[in-house]
Amino acid sequence: MARHLIVGGSTGIGEALTKRLIEKGHEVFILCRTDPLIPEATHLSFDVTKDSFPEIEGPLNGLVYCPGSINLKPLPQLTIEDFQRDFEINCLGAVRAVKSYLPLIKGEHAASMLFFSTVAVRRGMAFHTSIAAAKGAVEGMARSLAAE
């Protein structure tokens, strides 16, 4: 049985992945702001913009970072604070997660980390400037981590 940590695992893609891993017999830890509807997972209440990452005992076979944000506005309507918040949630939260849990992942054979992005990074989409910038940073971070 593998052990996985899913940051943002209570809704959407994170919730679906949590359910799938549990169905396959894996142990899953969820860090999220909302109460998950998956009693088989270990839930740790957490906000990537405010809290220190909680300690988890033992090795992890996988880390999945799902939190995201989206400000669908034209650039003139976006504030610097919008960009900072999107970057904080999407990129810096992912960096903090990796720094917090890398020692638990590093020693595991075939361990992995998964980060979510957006098609807006590659395609360029109207009103996606802030999220594309933040998720583009996540993609760069993921490629650099893979090289390490």
Side-chain angles (χ1 to χ4, degrees):
M1 170 174 63
R3 301 174 82 227
H4 304 277
L5 171 62
I6 302 180
V7 183
S10 65
T11 61
I13 294 170
E15 178 183 27
L17 182 56
T18 298
K19 288 178 180 177
R20 183 89 184 239
L21 289 168
I22 289 171
E23 286 171 5
K24 292 188 176 277
H26 299 282
E27 183 178 4
V28 179
F29 299 87
I30 302 172
L31 301 182
C32 58
R33 292 177 298 160
T34 58
D35 291 332
L37 302 174
I38 308 167
E40 300 87 359
T42 301
H43 173 246
L44 302 165
S45 185
F46 178 77
D47 183 333
V48 297
T49 65
K50 297 178 181 156
D51 300 325
S52 296
F53 280 81
E55 286 187 34
I56 294 176
E57 301 253 344
L60 290 171
N61 303 94
L63 166 66
V64 180
Y65 191 82
C66 298
S69 61
I70 191 157
N71 282 309
L72 297 179
K73 301 178 199 173
L75 181 66
Q77 291 179 11
L78 287 167
T79 65
I80 295 301
E81 290 77 21
D82 290 329
F83 279 90
Q84 288 171 331
R85 179 159 173 77
D86 286 343
F87 195 78
E88 179 74 31
I89 291 168
N90 293 281
C91 186
L92 295 181
V95 169
R96 285 189 203 97
V98 171
K99 288 183 72 64
S100 295
Y101 299 112
L102 188 60
L104 301 179
I105 297 168
K106 209 171 184 177
E108 288 301 298
H109 178 69
S112 61
M113 291 184 268
L114 175 64
F115 307 96
F116 287 90
S117 185
T118 174
V119 67
V121 173
R122 293 183 194 259
R123 295 194 72 183
M125 298 170 70
F127 311 126
H128 284 70
T129 306
S130 183
I131 190 61
K135 290 294 191 178
V138 171
E139 288 186 20
M141 177 199 69
R143 283 189 193 95
S144 293
L145 284 173
E148 287 182 27

